[in-house]
Amino acid sequence: MPVSFFLVYSEIQSRIDAEKGLEKRVTLSSAAAVNVVHPIRGSDGQAIELPGNTQAFTEAPIYARTSGYLKQWYFDIGAHVKRGQLLAEIETPELDEQLEQAENQLKTAEANLQLAQVTADRWVYLEKSSVVSKQERDQTVSDLNAKRATADSDRANVARLQKLQAFEHVYAPFDGVITSRNTDVGDLIQGDNTAPKELFHLAAVGKLRVYISVPEVYASAIKSGETVTLTLDAFPGENFAGTLVRDSNSIDLTSRTLKVEVDVDNPTGSLLPGAYAFVHWKVPSAARAVTIPTNTLLFRAEGSRVAAVRGGQAKLVPVTIGHDYGSSVEVLSGLTSEDTVILDPSDSITEGSAVKIAEAAKPEGSK
């Protein structure tokens, strides 16, 4: 009896084990094969490249303030000038005659004022002795005040013409390079505002400005004083250091971008204003953030999900997305660098679906 019972038990147990093995093989054969990737920790942030144009830090057109004929110019394009250096001279014969006439009128007015002063003093003294009437004294005093006002007016006119005459000499307002000369000897110069003519164009190139348009999504990451890298097609393989100095503090309604100024030191003058440049800037990553390819995301009604492989099953993990880098996205919460994420998950994948790893892929930018 015990022997037959043992034989029956052994046969039943072997059948149960065979059924379990068959069930396991069926489960493995029905599990979907998936490619996976591991999230990358975003320690250094994402680098973005933004185009811009170099501009002179200080730039100004030089106009004449007085009318006449150009007598001589002293610097041509490309010349480096210092502040206060003479750039050109203008002949102003009409202005010179006006100044001479005004100076003679001032001399006449001062002579009349001197005579009026003597007369007024005399009549004031005589009025005290009742030799002249008070009315006569008041008339001489009033004439003195009128002569003084005339002299003051003539003096101011002389000072105005002298200042205009000083504009016969055109000086450089700051250190820089002459980038344009639009005049020559004998040219008629109009000093009024009706038809101004630019004589020179001066640019300070010791430091350059580069304006870039930062997309709105990165606007909050802009920090004044941060160092960036510039590259130019004219200097292949070379990098130039720049500094984020200021921004417009407002988003442009048309382009949805933030205008940012980058300053670049240019002591040798090798960088030229107007050049096309690229600003390379690293967007700082949030703490504990990871980066995953965009083709790992699932967009469901309840929100963004990622299919992670855990224990041979697919788990739909909710994630919070930060910056969008195009081919990859920043995930702020929900994943760690130790997770295994399915690439190109099927839209029909469900929670707990059996999966098996076919290949562990590396996303772009991983080491």
Side-chain angles (χ1 to χ4, degrees):
M1 183 70 177
V3 175
S4 60
F5 175 77
F6 177 76
L7 294 175
V8 172
Y9 174 79
S10 298
E11 185 177 354
I12 293 174
Q13 186 63 37
S14 63
R15 290 181 180 180
I16 293 174
D17 292 340
E19 289 179 358
K20 288 183 178 180
L22 178 61
E23 182 181 355
K24 184 176 181 180
R25 288 194 296 272
V26 171
T27 301
L28 289 175
S29 62
S30 63
V34 294
N35 295 325
V36 297
V37 67
H38 295 287
I40 303 173
R41 298 187 64 178
S43 56
D44 295 332
Q46 181 75 14
I48 60 175
E49 183 180 284
L50 300 172
N53 295 316
T54 59
Q55 300 180 19
F57 193 81
T58 305
E59 191 172 8
I62 309 299
Y63 292 94
R65 187 61 185 87
T66 186
S67 299
Y69 295 92
L70 190 73
K71 178 181 179 181
Q72 185 66 46
W73 55 266
Y74 297 101
F75 294 98
D76 211 338
I77 60 172
H80 291 258
V81 298
K82 297 292 185 180
R83 179 179 180 179
Q85 276 193 296
L86 181 63
L87 302 181
E89 291 184 61
I90 302 172
E91 288 183 331
T92 58
E94 294 181 354
L95 178 61
D96 296 341
E97 292 180 359
Q98 291 176 7
L99 177 58
E100 185 178 357
Q101 181 181 5
E103 288 174 343
N104 292 331
Q105 289 179 350
L106 176 59
K107 292 178 181 179
T108 302
E110 288 177 341
N112 292 334
L113 174 61
Q114 185 178 5
L115 178 60
Q117 181 70 57
V118 172
T119 303
D121 293 342
R122 183 180 296 116
W123 283 81
V124 167
Y125 174 77
L126 292 176
E127 189 270 336
K128 292 180 180 180
S129 303
S130 300
V131 175
V132 297
S133 65
K134 186 176 180 180
Q135 176 67 25
E136 291 173 316
R137 184 209 64 179
D138 292 341
Q139 286 179 347
T140 57
V141 172
S142 177
D143 182 64
L144 171 63
N145 293 333
K147 294 294 193 300
R148 182 178 291 112
T150 300
D152 291 341
S153 176
D154 291 340
R155 192 175 294 109
N157 187 41
V158 169
R160 179 184 66 85
L161 293 174
Q162 287 175 340
K163 290 182 179 179
L164 284 177
Q165 191 181 52
F167 287 121
E168 291 178 348
H169 298 85
V170 181
Y171 298 98
F174 52 84
D175 297 353
V177 177
I178 301 294
T179 61
S180 177
R181 176 180 62 83
N182 303 309
T183 188
D184 211 337
V185 175
D187 277 358
L188 175 63
I189 306 299
Q190 297 289 345
D192 52 22
N193 296 325
T194 56
K197 180 180 179 181
E198 182 180 336
L199 305 182
F200 301 93
H201 200 91
L202 185 63
V205 296
K207 179 182 288 187
L208 299 181
R209 307 176 192 261
V210 181
Y211 290 101
I212 57 175
S213 297
V214 177
E216 181 181 1
V217 67
Y218 304 131
S220 60
I222 292 295
K223 305 297 181 184
S224 296
E226 188 173 353
T227 301
V228 296
T229 301
L230 279 82
T231 58
L232 292 87
D233 293 339
F235 300 91
E238 291 190 45
N239 294 331
F240 300 89
T243 305
L244 298 176
V245 292
R246 62 184 60 86
D247 61 80
S248 61
N249 202 29
S250 64
I251 301 298
D252 183 83
L253 295 177
T254 303
S255 61
R256 293 297 177 183
T257 57
L258 177 72
K259 188 175 183 180
V260 177
E261 179 186 336
V262 177
D263 287 356
V264 184
D265 288 329
N266 187 31
T268 62
S270 57
L271 299 179
L272 303 179
Y276 194 62
F278 292 94
V279 177
H280 303 265
W281 170 56
K282 284 190 176 181
V283 181
S285 296
R288 298 182 180 179
V290 295
T291 304
I292 59 174
T294 53
N295 59 347
T296 60
L297 295 175
L298 288 168
F299 299 98
R300 300 292 173 89
E302 57 272 18
S304 300
R305 296 288 188 272
V306 168
V309 179
R310 295 174 181 174
Q313 294 182 338
K315 300 296 182 181
L316 301 186
V317 181
V319 293
T320 302
I321 298 176
H323 293 299
D324 186 347
Y325 303 129
S327 61
S328 61
V329 293
E330 181 186 45
V331 176
L332 302 179
S333 63
L335 292 176
T336 67
S337 59
E338 304 300 326
D339 284 317
T340 302
V341 180
I342 298 176
L343 282 170
D344 298 313
S346 173
D347 291 337
S348 60
I349 194 171
T350 58
E351 179 77 17
S353 300
V355 294
K356 60 181 179 180
I357 298 175
E359 181 182 356
K362 289 185 178 182
E364 295 182 3
S366 64
K367 297 182 180 178

